[in-house]
Amino acid sequence: MDKLKVNIGSLALKNPVMTASGTFGYGKEFADFIDLSRLGGICVKGTTLHNRQGNPYPRMAETAAGMLNAVGLQNKGVDYFISDIYPEIKDIDTNIIVNVSGSTVEDYAECAARLADIEKIPAIELNISCPNVKEGGMAFGTSTSSAAQVVRAVRKVYHKTLIVKLSPNVTDITEIAKAVEAEGADSLSLINTLLGMAIDVEKRKPILSTITGGLSGPCVKPVALRMVWQTYNAVKIPIIGMGGISSWQDAVEFILAGATAIQIGTYNFVDPTISVKVVDGIADYLERHNISDIKNLVGKLQV
Amino acid sequence: MDKLKVNIGSLALKNPVMTASGTFGYGKEFADFIDLSRLGGICVKGTTLHNRQGNPYPRMAETAAGMLNAVGLQNKGVDYFISDIYPEIKDIDTNIIVNVSGSTVEDYAECAARLADIEKIPAIELNISCPNVKEGGMAFGTSTSSAAQVVRAVRKVYHKTLIVKLSPNVTDITEIAKAVEAEGADSLSLINTLLGMAIDVEKRKPILSTITGGLSGPCVKPVALRMVWQTYNAVKIPIIGMGGISSWQDAVEFILAGATAIQIGTYNFVDPTISVKVVDGIADYLERHNISDIKNLVGKLQV
Amino acid sequence: MKKMLDLVVVENNKLNQNYCLLKLSTPDKSVLPEMYPGQFVEIRVVDSPTTFLRRPISVNFVDKLKNELWLLVQVVGDGTRKMSEYKTGTIVNLLLPLGNQFSTPEKHQQELLLVGGGVGTAPMLYLGAILKESGFNPKFLLGARSSKDLLQLDDFAQYGQVYTTTEDGSHGQKGFVTNHSILENIKFDRVYTCGPKPMMMAVANYAHKNQIECEVSLENTMACGFGVCLCCVEDTKHNGNVCVCTEGPVFNIKDLKWIS
Amino acid sequence: MKKMLDLVVVENNKLNQNYCLLKLSTPDKSVLPEMYPGQFVEIRVVDSPTTFLRRPISVNFVDKLKNELWLLVQVVGDGTRKMSEYKTGTIVNLLLPLGNQFSTPEKHQQELLLVGGGVGTAPMLYLGAILKESGFNPKFLLGARSSKDLLQLDDFAQYGQVYTTTEDGSHGQKGFVTNHSILENIKFDRVYTCGPKPMMMAVANYAHKNQIECEVSLENTMACGFGVCLCCVEDTKHNGNVCVCTEGPVFNIKDLKWIS
Ligand SMILES: Cc1cc2nc3c(=O)[nH]c(=O)nc-3n(C[C@H](O)[C@H](O)[C@H](O)COP(=O)(O)OP(=O)(O)OC[C@H]3O[C@@H](n4cnc5c(N)ncnc54)[C@H](O)[C@@H]3O)c2cc1C
Ligand SMILES: Cc1cc2nc3c(=O)[nH]c(=O)nc-3n(C[C@H](O)[C@H](O)[C@H](O)COP(=O)(O)OP(=O)(O)OC[C@H]3O[C@@H](n4cnc5c(N)ncnc54)[C@H](O)[C@@H]3O)c2cc1C
Ligand SMILES: Cc1cc2nc3c(=O)[nH]c(=O)nc-3n(C[C@H](O)[C@H](O)[C@H](O)COP(=O)(O)O)c2cc1C
Ligand SMILES: Cc1cc2nc3c(=O)[nH]c(=O)nc-3n(C[C@H](O)[C@H](O)[C@H](O)COP(=O)(O)O)c2cc1C
Ligand code: FES
Ligand code: FES
């Protein structure tokens, strides 16, 4: 299906459908449900320089058409990833992208550096937007100067495709987007989760151990779509859109708004086969509308 | 029911349940469905100095657990309100609060001034957060300096209870809240709608005539609740919480997070009787939990 | 006075693949509120994650003897699909009656044409019945894609002569309602219409050219249905944006900006 | 290998006001995947605006002869209420089988006690059946608020001696499971338990004090059910936070931080 091919910087995707970090494990957990090679890419779980235990339980609250999470980047660190996980997933016939996080600029850069020469990791996604960690995370993504600083440091040590994942918890996402673009990022992905909260009224306590957490799922789609549209009109580098995608229609909405590729997150929990259904749905749509190349659809919203 | 009484500045409410501006008309439209005197207050439709036609149709898109609107403050102006609408609603036995909007600081102040001496209007709610108008509106509510400027101008001419309604489309709502408090606002209400977007994929066009619009309904509740909680921890003046309330449980969540009163918006469309159901539900809750005064619940989240 | 009411499904007839006729009554045998032709109800569709707002549906018919409200539903999305699956006994929550109504003709306006296309035929049945009851002899002109989409023909026939068009020629004259020869052959005093916007515009144009009084029933998207959200507006000649749910859904074409 | 499957409801028995027993089978008569005691399924509850995520439910029993999967459901919210309303013929989408399983006792561990409280009795039935099949003679200790909440007693009785406690004394011994005299009278080799956390903790304490091997089945809230969201974690002694949905739901108490 050549008409589905897209490029994110120098990264070629067989189709625009990727899965979002933190919602797809390391990919292999889905091998029972779908043929992973049908995906454009897989963003694996947020990875940090050192092992992290994440936040205490409870980490999850269901909300109207969505959920809050407060995982807090639990992972065994980048070295463990390289030694123990990478060998198990490197032969999946798709693009494996590592989502990188840190509490300091140095951590980000060091983590990225260790991934720079791993053969089957063609790209990293810098998570400067995690709302669930005390230091760093979202703090980096909510000011232009700190966002620029992280990207600058990483760009120095990382020469493959560098995607930067933006936080929606800002007044003007285009400012951050432009600052990140100026530092040489190859692509922007958005949105990460919106900061939210839920309360158990009978116990009079927050449901999450961390009080607040990250909101995702269909409920955030209108906000995500608006931010993709705004960002598309502000930068030149390709955008990877996400936030609440649960159908091929949603994916096409993001593409029309300006996303070159999309990621599916929370809905993987509801329907572990949704990603391939979206691939098929987009293909059908192109067929039905006589569109010979999906690139001709990117940002083609008629306004 | 004395235990339900709360105060917003010098404004006494028989209970904490109000209805949100733009979702309850002028109140009388609901008289067929409920006994309006059972409400703590009614915020009437956004009112401006001059007559406004609002935005072109289409103005509405349904979304997952919510909706987008792009009404754009259609109203006949404050003088028409005073001469033609006020006489029809002034005898409703509840607090009628006028939601005031403008495109310039002078407009806000002039509109507020004309309402200052209307007997049965004990309070106004300054809408510095409308995402659906080209000039003013949300722009005022997304920077501390312009928010402060509007409030300062209005405070000079308006001496009854002044509520300022904040926009959620900001990086840090507490900064705006503190700036507004410093200018002498009596209360803060939040949240107004989140800026969002929806696309018709078959037509490849935005669904709203204005491309983007304001998101409301249960989908925004987690974000609203978080902002109320953050704001409660940052200011001393009472907070009126709203955003997605559809049940008494939701209302109690907001109260526990720090809201002295709450407003119900979009859900009035789904169930026009929801507001009185919420009043009853809160009363039951107090009974069941042996709470003698709802004021003892405000901000009493156990963290 | 509008009400929020729980009604019970007493019958749900699948008319064809895309249409069903829902018959509702009161669970306690109390009399249904008075409803007039052109008015509509707002149905709450529970049990669907994609149907947050109520859905507006026209009053298709009120059977006063049986105390039944009829709704003709075309399945176009999740909300209408759920309605089409309602079983006898299902309790449905409605707001009703909403909106204004078609106006009654003057005594001397004897030639009345009621034009319906697609699901827009829905309000025409009740309008025809009431006109007939008031001593008029309305004519119906109903259009559809093909014969199987022409619905309730027997019901219509009780209240007046029925003319039809189908796009594929499988029933009545081939083509669109506005091509039907009756429009040439009879000089109407008044036309009422409901259907897809292009059809209503064509009908409005015909009426305007021939100086026939004409009312159309609009289906703007609605969030509330009773005048509080201001989402359903139509731009009018003299009053600017007005709410279709309260000032309409029925408009006289002379008030709309459709014809310049 | 885990699967996403559509199963059909072949029976839904309302056991009492709050509980139902759902029996599911394959619509095409294909054989159900192999499932082990302690495993669970994730049900997708469509038709509810408040049930976005799937709901985890334990395997209550697998009737291999009839090719049926049994789920014992306690109504606590909208998702479980919808399940309790499923009619025969309803198609339900599930992920299964998920999670680890209770471990098989050593040959010499002959005195086995299966303790269930509330809906936590669910996995005990299938565990008991399999233990019996493997040549063991398990004993069941089931606790509930009152006699009407003691469910499936006849089913349990097929696989071993059943002891009960009720809080109101309406069946078996009065009090909590951990007060039952059998715990004093018999020296068990192994205890398995599932139920409310305070109950499981009390059982774990009893087992720990008496140096009995003990497995508990946890019910942490889950978003995915198959190890990708990392929301369901339990803090363990040697491995820190581990996923209850993949490393559990069954844990040996010696790995948990419950007992210090
Ligand atoms: C006053 C009024 C009277 C109506 N009377 C009837 C009736 O008698 N019978 C009947 O079947 N339908 C009637 N409708 C239309 C009906 O309300 C919509 O078809 C219904 O709301 C669609 O809901 P859904 O969940 O099935 O589809 P959705 O999933 O909400 O929508 C499916 C598709 O239909 C489009 N759509 C939905 N509503 C409208 C609308 N109002 N105008 C244009 N496009 C729309 C959507 O954009 C979407 O593309 C009436 C509408 C109004 C305003
Ligand atoms: C591995 C596992 C096996 C389970 N097996 C069964 C079973 O066999 N039968 C059965 O009836 N239930 C079982 N449960 C519990 C069941 O998943 C929940 O009761 C169900 O998800 C509630 O959904 P709901 O929509 O009805 O209620 P909701 O509206 O989601 O919740 C209602 C109330 O229950 C609370 N709640 C929901 N889920 C949990 C949970 N996991 N732990 C603590 N409190 C919770 C909520 O906080 C809320 O107060 C199991 C759970 C797990 C994790
Ligand atoms: C449980 C969970 C864990 C997540 N973990 C990460 C993460 O480690 N790194 C990251 O960049 N985003 C993480 N996200 C955010 C998602 O990748 C995605 O940006 C967000 O959920 C919005 O998309 P969705 O609505 O499709 O889920 C996580 C989301 C969820 C729900
Ligand atoms: C159709 C519509 C119109 C609105 N108009 C106004 C308005 O005029 N002034 C205002 O301050 N807020 C307006 N709002 C915002 C609501 O008052 C409220 O802040 C918001 O909808 C969040 O609450 P909810 O989720 O309960 O609706 C409007 C909202 C809707 C849905
Ligand atoms: S639909 Fe709300 S005003 Fe008409
Ligand atoms: S529920 Fe998602 S990892 Fe366990």
Side-chain angles (χ1 to χ4, degrees), chain A residues 63-65 68 142 169-172 194-206 211-212 215 218-219 221-223 225-226 229-230 248-249 252-254 256-257 285 288-289 291 297 300-303, chain B residues 63-65 68 142 169-172 194-206 211-212 215 218-219 221-223 225-226 229-230 248-249 252-254 256-257 285 288-289 291 297 300-303:
Chain A
T63 66
L68 289 162
T142 54
N169 300 292
V170 295
T171 308
D172 183 355
L194 278 160
L195 196 60
M197 182 171 168
I199 292 173
D200 182 325
V201 296
E202 296 302 326
K203 298 193 186 132
R204 283 180 240 171
K205 283 187 183 167
I211 307 178
T212 61
L215 183 66
C219 57
K221 196 194 77 175
V223 173
L225 198 62
R226 179 261 297 182
W229 167 245
Q230 289 178 321
W248 66 262
Q249 285 94 334
V252 173
E253 284 193 60
F254 276 88
L256 287 167
Y285 178 88
R288 207 152 39 79
H289 285 262
I291 299 168
L297 212 59
K300 289 294 152 53
L301 187 70
Q302 291 161 29
V303 291
Chain B
T63 66
L68 289 162
T142 54
N169 300 292
V170 294
T171 307
D172 183 355
L194 278 161
L195 197 60
M197 183 172 169
I199 293 173
D200 182 324
V201 295
E202 296 301 325
K203 298 192 186 133
R204 284 180 240 170
K205 284 184 181 168
I211 307 178
T212 60
L215 184 66
C219 57
K221 197 194 77 176
V223 173
L225 197 62
R226 179 262 297 183
W229 166 246
Q230 289 178 321
W248 66 262
Q249 285 93 336
V252 174
E253 285 193 60
F254 276 89
L256 288 168
Y285 178 88
R288 208 154 36 82
H289 285 261
I291 299 168
L297 212 59
K300 290 293 154 54
L301 186 70
Q302 290 162 30
V303 291

Side-chain angles (χ1 to χ4, degrees), chain D residues 42 221-233 243-246:
Chain D
E42 281 274 6
T221 47
M222 298 182 171
C224 72
F226 52 97
V228 296
C229 74
L230 310 190
C231 287
C232 61
V233 291
C243 289
V244 169
C245 68
T246 48

